[in-house]
């Protein structure tokens, strides 16, 4: 299996710069997510790893060997496209064995290999069936089988579950992850779905407009977003932003929001001007005695929890609280923000300010 390293990789299509200067490493055996909104450059990045696009500049290493300008056929990597590009006139077994037969592998060896893969994927009983009548899940398993059978160095997957309905998608994503854990193969997976990335990935790169906004494990990205973009893109509802003008000095442990003094993680650098305080909905607590105030403008019942939207002097804020707490629209209440979890951003650049709590994460990658 393989380590993949992307170093200062840039891709231009004519005058359009689709990927700026990307640098990151995918370790051997990782399940790695390329996450971002439509058009951010994730498919282009994946295609450059596969050799389906050549970088305009920069280098791509597979197990230490520079392959940036090599064609796909010389990279020993399997690309799994969005849903099932299968050969319709062949049965399941023939679809899976095709790559081996075209490599000239002896028949007996092909048969054993196909049987082994079918066993892993749980499709041994349908090897003689035509692919035409198969369910979506089985078609996806056959497509995976065809990729796995070659024992490639890595799997590259471009929204492989994108066309599936929500319930089935969840089942297949669990199966894919379990399969990965069994085989330990390096896998790079493109998605625009933040939940899928958080659930499946060992590590995530978040991209926006061709730029890497953050690289890290899911929890780091969720807890300590490096930019306002990441804070909004990850989480549902996303992180709340309270906008204010102020000064946060080195060593500061509080910010002043109107009349209220809000505790924050200890700051490692100074900043003043337009700032943003970020807080996740589950770290906002309603407490009538708290000095920071808001007015309830909406409530949304979600079963065990509810989302309460409040209007404050510095913007709207959503709190995720237990649904048995009775809250009325129009009511004014105090808000406690969990000091250990707060993020601060420069409102102009969108970059997170450094604090003791987030320093390690922002230095990562
Ligand atoms: P999506 O999920 O919508 O595919 P993405 O993040 O994967 O989004 P890319 O497909 O990598 O985005 O495309 C990044 C940008 O580059 C887009 O603006 C796209 O229009 C542009 N682009 C991609 N391929 C080409 C091409 N062959 N020629 C010109 N522009 C391209």
């Amino acid at each position: 299996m393989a380590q993949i390293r992307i170093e200062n990789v840039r891709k231009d299509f004519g005058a359009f710069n689709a990927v700026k200067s990307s640098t990151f490493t995918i370790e051997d055996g990782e399940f790695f997510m390329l996450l971002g909104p439509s058009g951010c450059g994730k498919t282009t990045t994946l295609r450059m790893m596969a050799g389906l696009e050549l970088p305009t500049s920069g280098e791509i290493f597979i197990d230490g060997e520079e392959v940036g300008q090599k064609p796909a056929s010389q990279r020993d990597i399997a690309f799994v496209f969005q849903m099932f590009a299968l050969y319709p006139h062949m049965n399941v077994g023939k679809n899976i064995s095709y790559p081996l037969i075209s490599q000239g592998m002896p028949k007996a060896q092909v048969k054993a290999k196909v049987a082994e893969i079918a066993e892993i994927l749980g499709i041994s009983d349908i090897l003689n069936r035509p692919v035409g009548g198969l369910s979506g899940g089985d078609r996806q398993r056959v497509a995976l089988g065809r990729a796995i059978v070659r024992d490639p160095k890595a799997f590259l997957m471009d929204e492989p579950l994108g066309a599936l309905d929500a319930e089935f998608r969840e089942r297949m994503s669990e199966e894919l992850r379990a399969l990965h854990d069994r085989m330990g193969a390096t896998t790079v997976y493109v998605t625009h779905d933040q939940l899928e990335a958080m659930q499946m990935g060992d590590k995530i790169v978040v991209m926006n407009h061709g730029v890497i906004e953050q690289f890290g494990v899911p929890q780091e990205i969720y807890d300590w977003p490096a930019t306002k973009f990441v804070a909004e893109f990850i989480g549902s509802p996303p992180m709340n932003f309270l906008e204010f003008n102020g000064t946060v000095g080195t060593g500061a442990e509080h910010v002043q929001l109107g009349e209220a003094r809000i505790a924050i993680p200890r700051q490692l650098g100074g900043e003043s001007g337009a700032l943003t305080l970020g807080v996740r909905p589950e770290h906002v607590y309603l407490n009538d005695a708290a000095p920071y105030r808001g007015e309830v403008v909406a409530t949304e019942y979600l079963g065990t929890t509810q989302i309460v939207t409040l209007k404050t002097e510095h913007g709207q804020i959503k709190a995720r609280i237990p649904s048995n707490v009775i809250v009325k629209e129009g009511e004014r209440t105090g808000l406690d923000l969990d000091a250990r979890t707060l993020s601060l951003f420069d409102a102009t650049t969108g970059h997170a300010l450094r604090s003791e709590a987030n320093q390690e994460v922002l230095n990562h990658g």
Side-chain angles (χ1 to χ4, degrees):
M1 290 302 157
Q3 183 209 59
I4 303 173
R5 176 153 176 83
I6 303 291
E7 216 162 281
N8 301 318
V9 164
R10 176 188 173 101
K11 180 66 183 177
D12 296 330
F13 293 109
F16 179 70
N17 178 212
V19 175
K20 303 243 160 25
S21 180
S22 285
T23 297
F24 58 89
T25 303
I26 300 164
E27 298 298 346
D28 184 24
E30 258 175 6
F31 201 114
F32 190 92
M33 313 301 280
L34 284 172
L35 171 68
S38 180
C40 71
K42 44 194 194 304
T43 294
T44 304
T45 303
L46 194 76
R47 288 173 61 82
M48 287 192 285
M49 289 179 200
L52 301 172
E53 296 284 359
L54 299 181
T56 307
S57 60
E59 294 172 305
I60 298 172
F61 297 90
I62 298 180
D63 277 342
E65 184 197 352
E66 213 283 304
V67 298
Q69 301 299 321
K70 277 193 175 174
S73 57
Q74 288 175 27
R75 296 197 190 185
D76 195 12
I77 268 180
F79 201 97
V80 182
F81 292 95
Q82 187 171 5
M83 291 304 272
F84 2 111
L86 301 177
Y87 302 118
H89 56 286
M90 293 182 189
N91 68 21
V92 169
K94 291 221 164 75
N95 261 279
I96 296 177
S97 63
Y98 187 79
L100 302 182
I101 289 168
S102 29
Q103 278 171 13
M105 187 184 270
K107 257 188 167 174
Q109 227 174 311
V110 171
K111 204 169 165 205
K113 188 76 191 165
V114 170
E116 179 197 330
I117 299 296
E119 174 71 29
I120 291 176
L121 292 166
I123 51 173
S124 306
D125 55 333
I126 58 166
L127 283 176
N128 293 320
R129 292 254 297 271
V131 292
L134 297 181
S135 69
D138 283 341
R139 290 175 69 87
Q140 181 70 353
R141 289 182 195 103
V142 178
L144 279 171
R146 210 172 55 190
I148 294 167
V149 80
R150 286 203 291 118
D151 278 334
K153 283 189 170 168
F155 296 103
L156 307 185
M157 304 190 179
D158 192 356
E159 307 239 15
L161 311 179
L164 304 178
D165 64 49
E167 189 186 340
F168 188 50
R169 195 182 160 121
E170 198 171 321
R171 218 179 79 207
M172 282 310 288
S173 67
E174 278 168 19
E175 264 188 41
L176 256 185
R177 179 69 226 208
L179 183 66
H180 169 270
D181 293 346
R182 256 177 95 176
M183 299 182 50
T186 309
T187 304
V188 190
Y189 188 107
V190 160
T191 182
H192 63 271
D193 181 336
Q194 52 99 15
L195 206 55
E196 192 171 71
M198 302 286 281
Q199 283 170 343
M200 294 177 82
D202 295 318
K203 289 228 187 81
I204 302 175
V205 146
V206 186
M207 293 186 73
N208 185 31
H209 293 308
V211 173
I212 292 181
E213 297 264 337
Q214 192 165 1
F215 167 89
V217 304
Q219 198 179 349
E220 289 172 351
I221 287 179
Y222 185 82
D223 289 346
W224 300 113
T227 63
K228 283 176 80 172
F229 172 82
V230 174
E232 265 198 301
F233 194 73
I234 308 269
S236 177
M239 185 176 264
N240 294 295
F241 293 145
L242 298 174
E243 308 291 347
F244 68 107
N245 276 300
T247 299
V248 184
T250 302
E253 292 179 355
H254 297 91
V255 290
Q256 196 69 34
L257 280 195
E259 303 293 300
R261 218 160 88 105
I262 310 272
I264 54 168
R266 209 168 102 83
Q267 295 299 293
L268 296 174
E271 192 94 15
S272 57
L275 299 172
T276 305
L277 182 71
V279 58
R280 296 242 173 242
E282 62 273 27
H283 299 137
V284 179
Y285 306 99
L286 307 194
N287 167 11
D288 210 28
Y292 192 64
R293 314 293 292 175
E295 180 190 328
V296 176
V297 292
T299 59
E300 188 188 347
Y301 175 73
L302 295 177
T304 51
T305 62
Q306 60 182 324
I307 305 293
V308 181
T309 306
L310 301 109
K311 198 167 76 186
T312 77
E313 217 185 306
H314 304 93
Q316 277 205 349
I317 188 166
K318 287 183 190 287
R320 184 190 289 277
I321 63 170
S323 55
N324 58 5
V325 177
I326 295 168
V327 184
K328 293 205 179 66
E329 285 182 26
E331 171 187 348
R332 277 189 74 74
T333 181
L335 298 170
D336 271 333
L337 313 180
D338 184 342
R340 293 160 305 167
T341 65
L342 300 186
S343 288
L344 273 168
F345 303 92
D346 177 323
T348 316
T349 63
H351 290 137
L353 308 192
R354 286 172 60 231
S355 69
E356 271 179 0
N358 72 5
Q359 180 195 20
E360 200 184 319
V361 173
L362 298 183
N363 286 342
H364 199 136

